[in-house]
């Protein structure tokens, strides 16, 4: 078995956790490949760097950090069809569910094959003339927002060619079911179970109180055009932000591949919601 290990090297005490995982895997004969960040930050030159040629196929990716680290891991893994297990070294952690206190037990179950894999949908973003999106896939959300201290933007959203809404707001979040518990949740958007088949559109600080979030089928296609007083806007794809001229239109639809998320243990999404959001307490 071969795993690829990713992590946020800036997390306090994460080196100790990385060393523990490396020792754990070595004792069980599991090969480990390290992300460029971990290999360089902690001078672990004896390990192959992710992306370099190797004779061994990668069975799993371990993401050590918070949900942001998981999103980075998913972006780096891309279409390589490698299942990802998220280990929470952050705070809330809806993607990185496994707590470090249970790590040895969870890793043992992973090695023994006691796990399931969930398929999570992504959004693909394509820009019109004048735009150049470097990493155009989102597991959580695509956020289109005003740039700087300018006033709100006017954002026209069409679905399958039909005008849905002209938003006058600070922006618009387009979220997957996985991303419903991220930025979307913080602005009052609806929560969705990850297995649902839908796309959420939630306005950010809408000027009109009768404009509400909406869920559309995930096979619908979304076209966006923006008007801004300063001629620019921000598009943020899973937190990776770029500034675009407001002449650049965006097209958003479900991607043609999925991210495979490893589930170990008995925690359901509902149980995670109850724990993370203190429901019933």
């Amino acid at each position: 078995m071969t795993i690829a290990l990713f992590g946020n090297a800036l997390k306090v005490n994460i080196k100790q956790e990385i060393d523990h995982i490396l020792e754990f895997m070595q004792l069980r004969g599991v090969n480990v490949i390290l992300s460029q960040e971990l290999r360089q930050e902690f001078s672990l030159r004896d390990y192959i760097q992710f992306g370099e040629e190797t004779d061994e196929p990668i069975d799993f990716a371990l993401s050590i950090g918070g949900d942001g680290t998981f999103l980075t891991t998913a972006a780096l893994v891309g279409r390589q069809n490698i299942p990802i297990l998220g280990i929470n070294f952050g705070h809330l952690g809806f993607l990185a569910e496994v707590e470090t206190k249970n790590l040895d037990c969870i890793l043992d179950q992973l090695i023994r094959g006691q796990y399931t894999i969930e398929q999570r949908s992504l959004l693909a973003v394509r820009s019109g003339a004048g735009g150049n999106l470097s990493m155009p896939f989102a597991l959580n959300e695509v956020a289109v927002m005003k740039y700087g201290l300018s006033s709100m933007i006017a954002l026209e959203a069409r679905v399958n060619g039909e005008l849905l809404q002209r938003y006058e707001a600070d922006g618009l979040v387009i979220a997957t079911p996985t991303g419903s518990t991220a930025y979307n949740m913080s602005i009052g958007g609806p929560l969705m179970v990850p297995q649902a088949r839908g796309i959420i559109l939630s306005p950010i600080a809408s000027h009109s109180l009768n404009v509400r979030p909406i869920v559309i089928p995930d096979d619908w296609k979304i076209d966006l055009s923006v008007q801004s007083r300063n001629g620019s806007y921000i598009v943020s794809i899973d937190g990776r932000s770029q500034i675009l001229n407001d002449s650049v239109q965006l097209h958003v639809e479900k991607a043609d591949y999925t991210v495979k998320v490893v589930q170990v243990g008995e925690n359901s999404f509902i149980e995670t919601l109850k724990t993370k959001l203190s429901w019933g307490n």
Side-chain angles (χ1 to χ4, degrees), residues 100-275:
T100 53
K101 63 183 179 182
N102 304 321
L103 186 55
D104 285 6
C105 178
I106 294 297
L107 294 180
D108 262 331
Q109 291 179 50
L110 182 69
I111 293 170
R112 292 200 301 267
Q114 298 174 351
Y115 59 85
T116 58
I117 293 179
E118 291 185 353
Q119 308 278 349
R120 302 290 183 93
S121 63
L122 298 96
L123 296 173
V125 192
R126 187 172 70 249
S127 61
N132 183 21
L133 303 177
S134 56
M135 300 182 74
F137 295 96
L139 177 58
N140 267 359
E141 77 275 312
V142 178
V144 178
M145 302 172 289
K146 69 178 185 178
Y147 173 54
L149 299 176
S150 66
S151 60
M152 62 187 177
I153 57 177
L155 195 155
E156 186 177 276
R158 293 181 175 272
V159 291
N160 293 342
E162 180 181 0
L163 179 63
L164 171 67
Q165 183 62 263
R166 180 180 170 86
Y167 297 94
E168 294 184 347
D170 283 357
L172 179 70
V173 170
I174 303 173
T176 66
T178 297
S180 71
T181 53
Y183 196 173
N184 169 74
M185 181 172 67
S186 73
I187 58 175
L191 301 183
M192 296 180 68
V193 298
Q195 297 81 8
R197 298 187 59 184
I199 298 174
I200 307 166
L201 287 82
S202 294
I204 306 170
S206 173
H207 183 64
S208 176
L209 294 179
N210 64 1
V211 175
R212 297 297 175 185
I214 185 172
V215 178
I216 63 173
D218 68 356
D219 59 353
W220 286 18
K221 304 180 190 307
I222 305 165
D223 290 293
L224 304 173
S225 57
V226 178
Q227 290 182 329
S228 170
R229 286 187 180 179
N230 65 6
S232 302
Y233 67 94
I234 296 172
V235 58
S236 177
I237 303 174
D238 278 351
R240 304 180 297 271
S241 298
Q242 292 181 233
I243 301 169
L244 297 179
N245 188 283
D246 68 4
S247 64
V248 177
Q249 298 184 345
L250 297 175
H251 177 83
V252 182
E253 61 182 294
K254 186 173 75 169
D256 61 357
Y257 73 99
T258 61
V259 168
K260 294 170 176 56
V261 179
V262 180
Q263 299 290 327
V264 182
E266 299 180 355
N267 272 3
S268 66
F269 177 73
I270 299 301
E271 188 63 34
T272 299
L273 279 181
K274 290 161 64 177
T275 300

